[in-house]
Amino acid sequence: MTSSAYDIAILGAGPVGRVLALMLARVAPDPARIALLAGSAPTPVTAAAAVPAADPRVLAMNHGSRVLLESLHAWPDRSADIRNIHVSQRGRLGRTLIQHTDFNVPQLGSVVAYSGLYAKLDECVAASGVTVLSGPPAQIGLQDADGVRIQQGETEILCGVAVQSDGAGATDVRRDYDQHAVLTTAHATLPRRGWAWERFTSEGPLALLPHPQTPDAYSVVWCSAPDRAAELAALDNTAFSHALTQAFGERLGRLSSQAPRHVFPLALSARRAQVHGRVAAIGNAAQTLHPVAGQGLNLGLRDAARLAQTLAGWLASRAANAGANPGPALAEFANARHLDRFITAGLTDFMPRIFATRLAPVEHACGAALLGMDLASPLRAPLAQHLLQGFRA
């Protein structure tokens, strides 16, 4: 049995944990006293995704997240810009168009491959001076006035603050959407560079995002009932492509998919409190969201940025006084993050459910709301601003 001591230990080395480590390294008197425990990785979508380089996912990063990653020199080498977002409802009137020119920014967001982002963050962490501890998944044990005890295999770690950043540990609030998402890639006969599409259907949302590694192709996130998702995933390429074109419409011409298809279940899970004593939860450890509007990782990165900001003063004081209490800084973090979490979780929970009621009056009302936002920029601005950078306190 070996033991070691750190100022902060981050359990989980996914993108959110790595971004937190990089931000803390910039403000810590000694970056080596920041420990990143790489043994507790998030549950992969598929067995192949257990290796980050083989993970099939792409990630929609909003403008605020891109600015943050660029400031850390951690923006991937390849990405696809989103300059316009088209939101519509299948079978009903009404649509909303959100454009980058509305906010005088070069893009509303960008799409990156998970593997590309992970590789860039890995490179940055290796150069940051942060201590990376690989091993079996770590477990948080007792905490007292001296700190928090963590067990990782045969190693015991004592830290002033522990941060859970990955894994499905949030169980206070739970909603099963009775939907699965089908992930794949599709080519379009009439592609439109810089456009992303969110199409609400009675089965669930259907999103097409510009693909970061394949020009004139789109990453598809198709949400539907579990049986329907399994049926779609089992179709041959011709039948699936036809079904996709029917569901999406002909704005991009014919859609053709020959890529592998992956299916995963959708649910909302969240912690009511992000802080318990000296332990804070961020990212997927604090909340997992429906993928509509692509807000999950962006919310997690805002968690990381705020936590690094509030812990900076405590780290400085701890260098002079090892017994410095992190409680006030952690309380400030939890209070600052409450509204953004509430708004984002509420938005991503409400949208897929309200558009899938299969009730004609509700669907017409949703169409009228989309039309109203399209015609009146003051109605569209709050939603667009939140998608652009979230609520920042």
Side-chain angles (χ1 to χ4, degrees), residues 30 41 78 80 96-98 183 250 273 284 331 343 347 378:
D30 182 3
R78 302 180 69 177
T96 291
L97 181 61
I98 303 171
L183 305 184
E250 297 183 353
N284 283 346
I343 292 174
L347 178 68

Side-chain angles (χ1 to χ4, degrees), residues 95-228:
R95 57 89 162 166
T96 291
L97 181 61
I98 303 171
Q99 299 176 291
H100 70 105
T101 52
D102 295 340
F103 300 95
N104 296 316
V105 293
Q107 64 277 320
L108 295 170
S110 305
V111 184
V112 301
Y114 180 92
S115 57
L117 175 60
Y118 190 97
K120 193 68 174 181
L121 287 170
D122 193 47
E123 174 187 317
C124 293
V125 167
S128 70
V130 166
T131 300
V132 179
L133 302 176
S134 300
Q139 301 293 327
I140 292 178
L142 297 177
Q143 57 175 302
D144 53 30
D146 295 327
V148 184
R149 297 185 183 279
I150 299 171
Q151 197 71 35
Q152 187 182 41
E154 295 299 315
T155 301
E156 183 182 70
I157 298 164
L158 177 64
C159 59
V161 169
V163 182
Q164 295 176 294
S165 68
D166 287 330
T171 58
D172 296 338
V173 178
R174 175 80 185 181
R175 185 194 301 280
D176 187 343
Y177 291 109
D178 194 31
Q179 288 183 353
H180 287 187
V182 180
L183 305 184
T184 190
T185 301
H187 288 266
T189 57
L190 299 174
R192 300 183 70 174
R193 291 284 183 93
W195 284 71
W197 312 80
E198 188 83 63
R199 182 99 161 129
F200 289 97
T201 77
S202 59
E203 296 179 320
L206 168 59
L208 269 68
L209 308 173
H211 200 282
Q213 296 177 322
T214 308
D216 299 331
Y218 293 85
S219 176
V220 177
V221 183
W222 191 351
C223 304
S224 61
D227 290 348
R228 173 63 171 161

Side-chain angles (χ1 to χ4, degrees), residues 19 22-23 26 67-75 121 124:
V19 165
L22 291 174
M23 297 192 73
R26 289 190 165 189
V67 170
L68 171 62
L69 289 168
E70 286 180 337
S71 74
L72 297 170
H73 307 292
W75 187 249
L121 287 170
C124 293

Side-chain angles (χ1 to χ4, degrees), residues 48-66:
V51 179
D55 195 302
R57 289 172 292 177
V58 299
L59 305 168
M61 314 295 292
N62 66 21
H63 177 70
S65 293
R66 177 164 184 164

